[in-house]
Amino acid sequence: MRWGRTFRSCIPRHPALALTLLVLLLLDSPQSASAQSETDPLIPNGSQTLTLRVPPLQTVNEEEVLRVTVELEGARGDTRIFVDGLPPGARWDEPSRTLTFQPDFIQGGWRHEVTFTARDSQSTAAARMTIAVRDTVRPPEPRILQSEELHGTLRLTLEQPTDTWLDSPGYAGRTFPAVVSVPLSASAGYPMPVTVRLHGVGNWPPQAQVSPDRFVIEPSDPNLTYWWGYSASLPRSSAMASAVPPYTVRRVLALLEWVLRSYPGADPERVFVEGDSMGGAGALALGLLEARHFAGVFAKHAQPVARSHRPWRLAQLASLWGMPEEEVPDADGLGVWSRLDLTRALRDESGARSQFLFLEHGKDDPIIHFGSVVGPSSLTGVSFYEMLQTQHIGHVAVWDEGGHVESDPWLGPRWWTRGWNPRSDEQTLLRRDLAFPAFSRSSWDGHPGSASNGRQPWRNDSGYAGDPKVAGDTGWDGDVAGMLNRSLRWDTRQLVDTHGRFALPLRAVIGPGVTEPPVVDVTPRRVQRFRCLPGERIRWTFGSASGTVAAAADGSVTVPRLRLGGDWTQLVLERT
């Protein structure tokens, strides 16, 4: 009513000025916006007004679900509503015009300014909404026990106390050790990336390392939960007596929250998770199932399908999670063994499909054998490597004849590196808030194989692994060493990501002796503004090549069989 009285008292006598003032006031209203032509801010001849109805402020508690349905009035013909500024983990369903957001327990205290833009055939309208997340889940903060300065790095030794959110009721109150390395030159004006490093079995405490260019968070998992969690009934009764919450995941995320809130120089858009062996499995699980928090995953010797662990590891994990056939539910109701089948995550979860993965495995690894990535999941019937390709996931995968800790006996360690690191490369920079191209079905891909070549018998614990110190004796078929998506690059600095157009330069690193450039499918992932409806027709150009493709059921757009040369060529997507 106050707005109405103010408006009425200020109406000029001249009709044209009155109309102008009315339009400007509507544009400034947080709940609605009047229509605007692309070329003229006013709609001539008294055209009907396009109006968005959006609540100006929405508050939500951590772990609770917020749903907001947007109303649109006065639309003519086909109309699109685009949303910018969504909080990490939020989803916009354009056909139902519904925003859904369930903040997790480390997103409280943040406010997000979300902009809605509606366009029909003649006009545009915009409206804003603030989403405020209440900090309602407050586990105990870590305590600093020791601080040591090492060559531009402050190394903090912490203890992390638990409550019933971070631990089962029977264990709550104990503490876990952790280490955090802080680069002294980081600041709000010069933020640095954050790496969450997960250790393998027997690899705690970590060695002191200098990291002047990034924050490093090193939590601990002494109970070998594979960085997931355990039954809420432990230690008082068996693991099958109650649900299996992700207690260990929560402890890791609580440390991440503490670092991001304590140090303005920690960049939340460049948080990475890495690990080897048990730590590699944990890195995959956190990076895919908690994808809203991570810009990339770097996993070595990782088992991506929990049910495919070797027999004695299955028995150990069953004491924490219940037997695989029992499918004790996790905190969200899905059986924990199915939750930790990451082929399922790539198939079913949009957040997981937006992630970038760098994977390393050894064909003569007797602990996490090569079948972990080339053998089919009993749940989905598809191997992890196959799911990466068919779901168009951003990835680089490396394998050789190394073991679990031994390097390839012929090629040596890290033979595939040529100074390129997507965590820090200025061109192919990975950020949570920037799109990147997911490559799949590259003609340069090696052949990993999936079965026996006759040199080794099958063993349930080590598959067809040979002696990691002997070159050429692996029992796995396919190439002894190879890569998926090798030498494919993009230039993030030239990225264009608008409602109507997406553009990103691509190329291949072509070395001496290479006669055929690669042919590859390209799927933009983490698109911020050029979001598409399922089935929407999208026009693409790539140099002299062009065509039209339809968006997939999840809105992703895959341009097939692009031939990448050694020079930068811009891939352009536009709405038809």
Side-chain angles (χ1 to χ4, degrees):
M1 295 298 295
R2 178 178 301 175
W3 179 89
R5 287 197 299 270
T6 303
F7 174 71
R8 284 194 297 269
S9 66
C10 297
I11 293 178
R13 294 181 180 179
H14 195 287
L17 290 177
L19 176 61
T20 301
L21 178 58
L22 172 61
V23 171
L24 290 175
L25 285 170
L26 287 172
L27 282 171
D28 193 51
S29 170
Q31 296 190 13
S32 66
S34 65
Q36 285 184 297
S37 167
E38 293 291 331
T39 57
D40 190 337
L42 296 177
I43 304 302
N45 303 323
S47 297
Q48 185 180 6
T49 301
L50 180 64
T51 305
L52 273 171
R53 301 290 182 186
V54 177
L57 173 66
Q58 290 286 291
T59 58
V60 60
N61 294 336
E62 291 173 319
E63 300 294 324
E64 293 186 357
V65 178
L66 170 70
R67 287 188 179 87
V68 179
T69 299
V70 173
E71 296 180 5
L72 182 65
E73 300 172 0
R76 290 153 296 188
D78 293 336
T79 305
R80 296 296 305 273
I81 301 179
F82 301 98
V83 179
D84 300 314
L86 286 173
R91 299 189 307 276
W92 168 245
D93 183 67
E94 189 175 346
S96 67
R97 296 173 181 169
T98 301
L99 184 154
T100 305
F101 179 41
Q102 184 177 12
D104 71 13
F105 78 102
I106 74 168
Q107 291 182 285
W110 297 97
R111 295 170 68 90
H112 304 272
E113 301 300 325
V114 181
T115 301
F116 297 82
T117 304
R119 288 195 175 100
D120 64 13
S121 59
Q122 301 182 39
S123 55
T124 300
R128 295 185 299 273
M129 178 177 69
T130 299
I131 297 178
V133 184
R134 300 187 186 96
D135 190 7
T136 51
V137 181
R138 298 182 179 181
E141 291 195 351
R143 296 186 287 261
I144 299 175
L145 301 181
Q146 183 179 355
S147 176
E148 180 183 11
E149 188 171 332
L150 298 170
H151 306 290
T153 301
L154 185 65
R155 190 172 191 267
L156 305 176
T157 302
L158 310 175
E159 67 173 7
Q160 189 177 16
T162 65
D163 59 1
T164 55
W165 180 255
L166 301 181
D167 221 340
S168 66
Y171 282 133
R174 59 180 172 172
T175 61
F176 289 84
V179 173
V180 171
S181 299
V182 179
L184 295 177
S185 58
S187 66
Y190 187 63
M192 292 186 177
V194 180
T195 293
V196 178
R197 180 179 296 155
L198 308 181
H199 67 78
V201 174
N203 290 331
W204 182 269
Q207 295 181 349
Q209 296 185 359
V210 175
S211 56
D213 59 346
R214 59 176 172 160
F215 292 79
V216 180
I217 301 171
E218 297 176 282
S220 62
D221 186 8
N223 302 117
L224 308 186
T225 72
Y226 266 65
W227 298 101
W228 178 253
Y230 38 89
S231 172
S233 63
L234 295 176
R236 295 170 180 168
S237 58
S238 76
M240 290 185 285
S242 61
V244 182
Y247 292 124
T248 313
V249 170
R250 291 173 182 173
R251 286 195 296 104
V252 174
L253 293 180
L255 281 174
L256 175 60
E257 178 188 30
W258 181 79
V259 169
L260 293 178
R261 293 188 187 278
S262 301
Y263 298 95
D267 189 348
E269 306 300 341
R270 288 189 292 162
V271 179
F272 302 92
V273 58
E274 67 178 29
D276 191 349
S277 189
M278 180 180 79
L284 281 178
L286 261 76
L288 294 178
L289 301 178
E290 305 291 339
R292 70 179 68 185
H293 298 300
F294 298 102
V297 177
F298 295 78
K300 298 174 63 177
H301 310 116
Q303 173 57 266
V305 178
R307 283 192 187 88
S308 297
H309 275 293
R310 52 189 173 148
W312 71 266
R313 181 61 67 196
L314 287 174
Q316 183 258 322
L317 292 173
S319 69
L320 302 174
W321 304 344
M323 298 298 292
E325 60 270 17
E326 296 292 336
E327 279 287 39
V328 177
D330 63 9
D332 294 322
L334 180 64
V336 65
W337 293 92
S338 293
R339 178 75 68 190
L340 293 173
D341 185 330
L342 300 178
T343 66
R344 178 211 57 81
L346 294 177
R347 182 193 67 185
D348 297 346
E349 301 186 21
S350 59
R353 290 193 295 273
S354 72
Q355 192 56 271
F356 178 90
L357 309 177
F358 198 110
L359 308 170
E360 304 172 35
H361 284 85
K363 284 199 165 184
D364 284 346
D365 186 340
I367 296 176
I368 305 296
H369 68 66
F370 197 56
S372 62
V373 287
V374 298
S377 156
S378 60
L379 178 66
T380 66
V382 179
S383 76
F384 194 68
Y385 274 1
E386 289 173 324
M387 197 66 82
L388 292 174
Q389 299 278 29
T390 60
Q391 296 296 324
H392 309 289
I393 310 302
H395 68 284
V396 173
V398 178
W399 69 88
D400 57 24
E401 207 180 355
H404 198 65
V405 295
E406 301 90 350
S407 301
D408 185 285
W410 177 258
L411 298 172
R414 302 189 66 80
W415 52 268
W416 58 88
T417 61
R418 294 294 183 270
W420 176 69
N421 187 337
R423 280 185 281 195
S424 57
D425 186 86
E426 292 183 357
Q427 287 181 315
T428 55
L429 183 65
L430 283 173
R431 289 177 58 94
R432 185 181 60 170
D433 59 350
L434 285 180
F436 68 89
F439 300 109
S440 53
R441 295 200 305 146
S442 170
S443 60
W444 275 5
D445 284 349
H447 175 49
S450 61
S452 171
N453 63 15
R455 293 193 183 99
Q456 301 288 345
W458 173 262
R459 294 176 293 273
N460 288 337
D461 56 348
S462 57
Y464 296 114
D467 186 340
K469 298 180 181 179
V470 177
D473 76 333
T474 186
W476 291 97
D477 66 350
D479 298 337
V480 174
M483 295 182 68
L484 304 179
N485 292 330
R486 67 183 178 96
S487 303
L488 307 179
R489 303 288 188 267
W490 64 95
D491 189 353
T492 307
R493 299 173 302 180
Q494 306 299 319
L495 171 67
V496 176
D497 186 355
T498 67
H499 295 159
R501 188 172 186 266
F502 181 92
L504 185 61
L506 309 175
R507 78 179 185 99
V509 179
I510 299 178
V514 176
T515 58
E516 289 291 331
V519 177
V520 63
D521 296 351
V522 180
T523 307
R525 291 293 186 184
R526 281 197 200 123
V527 173
Q528 302 296 302
R529 306 193 76 197
F530 190 79
R531 295 191 176 98
C532 301
L533 292 170
E536 183 178 357
R537 304 295 294 178
I538 300 298
R539 182 173 55 250
W540 64 269
T541 59
F542 187 71
S544 61
S546 64
T548 304
V549 294
D554 64 354
S556 63
V557 176
T558 298
V559 182
R561 316 321 293 151
L562 294 182
R563 186 175 296 276
L564 272 59
D567 297 326
W568 291 109
T569 303
Q570 194 173 56
L571 173 63
V572 178
L573 306 181
E574 295 177 309
R575 305 188 191 280
T576 56

